[in-house]
C-alpha cells in the first residue's frame, strides 16, 4: 500500500482540493480536520494585516487584485483557490493568460495571478496563509525557492532548481517542469551528439534532459570555472564560448538570454551551424530569434523556445490540477 501511495502521490496531490495528513491522528481528530475544511474554517485577519501591503504594492490587473484582496479578507471569492507566478520581474509573463484560459475551459474554481515582488519569503508566507494552490517560479527565485519547500522530487534535487510549487495539507511540494519541456521537444533525437550554449538555470534543466536521453553533451560557457563545475555536475564535457569555431554536433541547444526581447545578437552565425543539425533556442520572445534565423540560413532544422514553454506548461497544469492537457490545447490558449 505504501509503495502504491508513493507511486500515485503527485496525482493525488494534484487532484485533491485539500489534504489532511492523518499520520498520528485519531479518526475523531481527522474527521474534525476534514469538517473544519469543508466548513471553510480559516482565519484571514492576520493574513490581511501581514500581507495587505504586498497586494497594494504589486502591479496586477484590477480583477486579479480584487480576487487576491478577497482571499485575504475571506470575502466573496473564498471558494476560489489562487495560483500565480512569482518572479522579479514577471508582470509581463504569459502564464496568467494561459492558465486562466485553461481553468475557464475546464470549469475549475481556480484563478492565476502574478507576484512581482523582490522578497520570495513574503510570497511564500502569503501563499501559505491564504491557502494558495500553487506557484510557478521564475528568475531569480528558481534556486532559492528550494529553502521554502517541505519536499521536492528527485529531478528537482538533481537539477538544483524548482519552477513549480504545489501546496497541499500545509506542505509545499516542489517540482521542475523545465527539464520535461526540453526533453519532450528533442526526444526524437535520443543518443545524438549535443552542444549546449550557456551554463545557467535553464541550461541545468537542459543538461539534465539531454543526459536523460543518453546524448553525448558538451556545454559551452563564458566563465571557465562555472562551466567546468557545471560540466562536472552533469557528467558532460565543457568548452569555452570564446573563439568557438564550426560546431560538430547533431543538436545545438541555446540557453543564454542572448537574442531575447529585441536583442539582435546571436552566439552563432550560419557558417558555424552544420546544415544537417537541429537548433533549439530556449529563448521564446520572439519566437523566431536571431539564432534561429542564422540556423535557417544554414539549412538546419529549428525548434523555437515556445516548444519548451508549451510542454513544461502542460506538465505544470497536470501538477496544479491533476488534468492531462493536450499540447495543442495549450498552443491554442497561448494565441
Ligand atoms: P540564467 O540562469 O541567468 O543563465 C544565463 C546563462 O547565460 C549563464 O550561463 C550566463 O553566463 C549566460 N549568458 C548571459 N549573457 C550572456 C552573453 N551575453 N554571452 C554569453 N553567455 C551569456 O538564465 P536562465 O534562467 O538560464 O535563462 C536563459 C534563457 O532561457 C532566457 O532567455 C530565458 O527566457 C530562457 N528560458 C526559456 C524557457 C522556456 O520555457 N522556453 C524556460 C526557462 C528559461 P554567466 O553565468 O557567465 O553569467
Amino acid at each position: 500500500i505504501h509503495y502504491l501511495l508513493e507511486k500515485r502521490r503527485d496525482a493525488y496531490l494534484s487532484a485533491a482540493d485539500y489534504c489532511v495528513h492523518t499520520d498520528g491522528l485519531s479518526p475523531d481528530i481527522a474527521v474534525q480536520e476534514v469538517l473544519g475544511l469543508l466548513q471553510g474554517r480559516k482565519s484571514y485577519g492576520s493574513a490581511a494585516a501581514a500581507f495587505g501591503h504586498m497586494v497594494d504594492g504589486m502591479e496586477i490587473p484590477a480583477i486579479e487584485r480584487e480576487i487576491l484582496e478577497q482571499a485575504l479578507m475571506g470575502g466573496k471569492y473564498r471558494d476560489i483557490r489562487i495560483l500565480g507566478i512569482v518572479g522579479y520581474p514577471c508582470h509581463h509573463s504569459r502564464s496568467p493568460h494561459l492558465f486562466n484560459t485553461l481553468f475557464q475551459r475546464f470549469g475549475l474554481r481556480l484563478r492565476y495571478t502574478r507576484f512581482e515582488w523582490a522578497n520570495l519569503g513574503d510570497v511564500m508566507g502569503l501563499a501559505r496563509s491564504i491557502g494558495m494552490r500553487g506557484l510557478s517560479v521564475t528568475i531569480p527565485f528558481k534556486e532559492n525557492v528550494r529553502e521554502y519547500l517541505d519536499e521536492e522530487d528527485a529531478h528537482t534535487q538533481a537539477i538544483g532548481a524548482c519552477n513549480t510549487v504545489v501546496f497541499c495539507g500545509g506542505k509545499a511540494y516542489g517540482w521542475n517542469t523545465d527539464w520535461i519541456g526540453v526533453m519532450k521537444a528533442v526526444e526524437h533525437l535520443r543518443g545524438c551528439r549535443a552542444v549546449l550554449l550557456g551554463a545557467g538555470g535553464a541550461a541545468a534543466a537542459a543538461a539534465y534532459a539531454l543526459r536523460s536521453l543518453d546524448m553525448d553533451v558538451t556545454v559551452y560557457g563564458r566563465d571557465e570555472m562555472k562551466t567546468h563545475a557545471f560540466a562536472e555536475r552533469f557528467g558532460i564535457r565543457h568548452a569555452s564560448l570564446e573563439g568557438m569555431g564550426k560546431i560538430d554536433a547533431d543538436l545545438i541547444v541555446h540557453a543564454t538570454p542572448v537574442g531575447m526581447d529585441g536583442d539582435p545578437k546571436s552566439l552563432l552565425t550560419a557558417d558555424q551551424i552544420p546544415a544537417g543539425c537541429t537548433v533549439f533556442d530556449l529563448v521564446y520572445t520572439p519566437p523566431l530569434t536571431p539564432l534561429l534565423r542564422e540556423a535557417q540560413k544554414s539549412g538546419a532544422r529549428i525548434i523555437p523556445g515556445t516548444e519548451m514553454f508549451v510542454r513544461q506548461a502542460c506538465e505544470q497544469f497536470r501538477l496544479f490540477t491533476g488534468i492531462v492537457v493536450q499540447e495543442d490545447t495549450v498552443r491554442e490558449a497561448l494565441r
Side-chain angles (χ1 to χ4, degrees):
I1 286 170
H2 277 291
Y3 173 78
L4 285 176
L5 283 176
E6 195 50 43
K7 275 282 202 214
R8 299 209 36 82
R9 197 170 65 137
D10 43 325
Y12 293 145
L13 283 177
S14 307
D17 282 330
Y18 296 98
C19 308
V20 175
H21 287 274
T22 52
D23 291 358
L25 294 187
S26 70
D28 279 3
I29 303 287
V31 165
Q32 290 305 319
E33 291 282 317
V34 173
L35 289 176
L37 284 171
L38 291 175
Q39 288 159 5
R41 186 192 60 206
K42 288 180 188 169
S43 158
Y44 291 95
S46 59
F51 299 109
H53 72 287
M54 270 180 75
V55 178
D56 289 345
M58 285 187 307
E59 199 181 321
I60 49 177
I63 179 66
E64 290 176 25
R65 177 181 304 284
E66 192 188 346
I67 289 175
L68 256 183
E69 282 168 354
Q70 293 289 330
L72 278 174
M73 309 300 292
K76 66 177 173 179
Y77 296 115
R78 57 188 299 159
D79 60 334
I80 289 187
R81 302 287 304 279
I82 293 177
L83 300 95
I85 179 162
V86 53
Y88 197 73
C90 71
H91 78 273
H92 290 305
S93 166
R94 300 197 64 200
S95 295
H97 167 74
L98 169 66
F99 284 110
N100 285 327
T101 305
L102 293 175
F103 295 157
Q104 214 165 6
R105 188 190 163 115
F106 287 95
L108 302 171
R109 304 281 295 160
L110 299 171
R111 188 80 196 191
Y112 191 103
T113 185
R114 64 209 85 202
F115 302 98
E116 182 172 280
W117 196 251
N119 186 326
L120 174 64
D122 285 352
V123 179
M124 295 304 280
L126 172 69
R128 285 182 188 265
S129 63
I130 63 171
M132 236 185 255
R133 175 75 188 134
L135 282 170
S136 309
V137 184
T138 187
I139 41 170
F141 300 135
K142 287 185 184 181
E143 286 87 20
N144 310 0
V145 73
R146 296 178 64 210
E147 292 167 28
Y148 297 89
L149 302 175
D150 296 293
E151 289 185 34
E152 60 183 6
D153 79 334
H155 306 295
T156 306
Q157 215 160 27
I159 295 163
C162 159
N163 75 330
T164 309
V165 181
V166 173
F167 299 95
C168 203
K171 287 190 173 184
Y173 297 85
W175 280 277
N176 185 306
T177 64
D178 283 337
W179 81 275
I180 295 176
V182 175
M183 189 265 290
K184 292 212 165 152
V186 294
E187 61 190 344
H188 57 291
L189 296 171
R190 177 180 283 280
C192 78
R193 290 168 312 142
V195 155
L196 176 60
L197 307 176
Y208 187 76
L210 304 183
R211 291 296 292 134
S212 79
L213 292 169
D214 300 323
M215 292 186 189
D216 173 0
V217 186
T218 305
V219 58
Y220 285 70
R222 62 177 176 181
D223 177 312
E224 157 63 21
M225 276 193 13
K226 203 169 161 181
T227 314
H228 180 87
F230 182 96
E232 294 245 296
R233 250 182 83 203
F234 294 102
I236 58 182
R237 280 192 285 277
H238 75 285
S240 172
L241 271 175
E242 208 179 321
M244 224 179 354
K246 182 157 182 164
I247 302 279
D248 181 20
D250 312 300
L251 170 66
I252 298 170
V253 179
H254 172 236
T256 85
V258 175
M260 196 171 145
D261 291 336
D263 171 10
K265 290 196 285 297
S266 163
L267 288 182
L268 298 174
T269 51
D271 54 320
Q272 291 173 285
I273 303 173
C277 111
T278 299
V279 179
F280 182 12
D281 196 342
L282 303 193
V283 173
Y284 62 99
T285 48
L288 193 60
T289 60
L291 171 66
L292 293 182
R293 285 182 199 279
E294 292 298 312
Q296 281 179 327
K297 277 191 230 162
S298 78
R301 282 176 295 275
I302 63 164
I303 305 179
T306 41
E307 288 306 302
M308 169 180 177
F309 184 76
V310 163
R311 288 170 165 95
Q312 73 76 26
C314 288
E315 183 59 13
Q316 213 166 54
F317 188 75
R318 186 186 71 79
L319 291 167
F320 287 152
T321 65
I323 297 172
V324 175
V325 66
Q326 299 301 312
E327 285 165 16
D328 280 347
T329 308
V330 171
R331 283 196 188 92
E332 197 184 304
L334 274 171
R335 275 194 210 117

